[in-house]
Amino acid sequence: MTSAFFPPFWRGYRLMFPLWLGMVPFAVAYALTARSAGLSLWETQFMSLTTFAGASQFAAAGMLGAGASALGIVFTTFLLNARHLLYGLSLARQLPLTRRQRPVAAQFLTDEAYGMVIVNGPKDPAGLSFPFLLGAELSLYSIWNAATLLGSVAGAALPNPQALGVGVIFPLTFLGLLVPLLVDRLSLLVALVSGLGAWGLSRVLPGGLVILLAGVGGALLGAAFLTRSQQEDAPSEGRPMEEMP
């Protein structure tokens, strides 16, 4: 790695520090869930090292404890992570990633890293770059795995994370990322319709699929509104000129 790699990498790494407070309790809770489901310390840690997907790890650990089939676990985790298809498409438009960089970025991508980089990256001179993205991703990866180990080793002596009320941290974070993007009536309308659609779909579908459908629907709705607005603002062509008096 060249010396030019590390400055944006460390800026991306430090960008995620405010989210560490919310990441630790969830990783500890995952470790407690996995250990109670019968996974060993090594198996619990191995899942965090290789999978690195909080909701999917919770689901997989719980399903393993319930004796679910391997196919059922794979299908469930696929649905939970389906939203990453949208993240990847969005990042491909924003970041100039090489063929070798893409699988690395995809492996460590999370909701939080995607949101923080997309919103804060354009504000940084080297923000929309692979080192900046990788720094943000590995920042959460390192604290997630450290907290997983903490939960596996000392989980019984730690308080229940749910009792601490940390569940509001990530929703508030994403709300804070969304508000600056609502710059006009069009973006506000698309966000409102997408949010209501996601809420309605969440009553009947699993979370990952809900985010994927709401995201695709919101993107199509925004594109339709934007195309219509551009057509209305564009000067008419081919219209005969009025005769001079």
Side-chain angles (χ1 to χ4, degrees):
M1 295 183 183
T2 63
S3 58
F5 177 91
F6 289 102
F9 176 87
W10 289 117
R11 289 202 294 273
Y13 196 93
R14 293 192 299 270
L15 177 68
M16 309 306 293
F17 282 175
L19 299 186
W20 280 24
L21 180 63
M23 186 67 69
V24 170
F26 281 107
V28 170
Y30 151 70
L32 295 176
T33 301
R35 295 304 303 275
S36 64
L39 274 68
S40 66
L41 188 151
W42 163 244
E43 291 169 338
T44 299
Q45 194 68 42
F46 184 74
M47 188 183 293
S48 278
L49 289 169
T50 57
T51 305
F52 186 44
S56 296
Q57 291 182 228
F58 271 103
M63 294 176 73
L64 283 171
S69 66
L71 183 61
I73 294 174
V74 170
F75 181 71
T76 300
T77 55
F78 171 78
L79 290 180
L80 289 174
N81 285 322
R83 64 192 183 279
H84 284 75
L85 294 172
L86 295 178
Y87 297 160
L89 291 172
S90 176
L91 283 174
R93 294 172 57 88
Q94 300 286 337
L95 275 69
L97 299 177
T98 67
R99 186 172 299 178
R100 292 183 178 181
Q101 292 170 346
R102 289 172 187 170
V104 177
Q107 170 62 25
F108 299 106
L109 184 63
T110 61
D111 306 275
E112 298 81 15
Y114 167 79
M116 294 290 279
V117 169
I118 289 297
V119 173
N120 294 280
K123 305 173 186 177
D124 191 288
L128 293 179
S129 66
F130 175 68
F132 188 87
L133 171 64
L134 186 62
E137 292 178 336
L138 292 185
S139 179
L140 295 186
Y141 181 77
S142 59
I143 191 61
W144 177 267
N145 279 278
T148 296
L149 182 60
L150 174 65
S152 296
V153 173
L158 298 174
N160 184 354
Q162 294 181 350
L164 301 178
V166 297
V168 301
I169 293 178
F170 287 138
L172 289 178
T173 298
F174 283 105
L175 182 61
L177 294 174
L178 172 65
V179 170
L181 300 178
L182 304 178
V183 295
D184 51 33
R185 288 182 296 179
L186 176 60
S187 58
L188 181 61
L189 177 61
V190 171
L192 180 61
V193 173
S194 300
L196 291 175
W199 177 81
L201 291 173
S202 68
R203 318 301 293 181
V204 294
L205 296 175
L209 190 58
V210 168
I211 297 176
L212 177 64
L213 294 177
V216 171
L220 293 176
L221 180 63
F225 283 160
L226 183 60
T227 301
R228 180 178 178 181
S229 177
Q230 290 175 341
Q231 290 176 346
E232 292 177 350
D233 293 341
S236 301
E237 296 181 0
R239 181 179 297 176
M241 296 179 62
E242 295 183 0
E243 294 183 3
M244 296 290 292

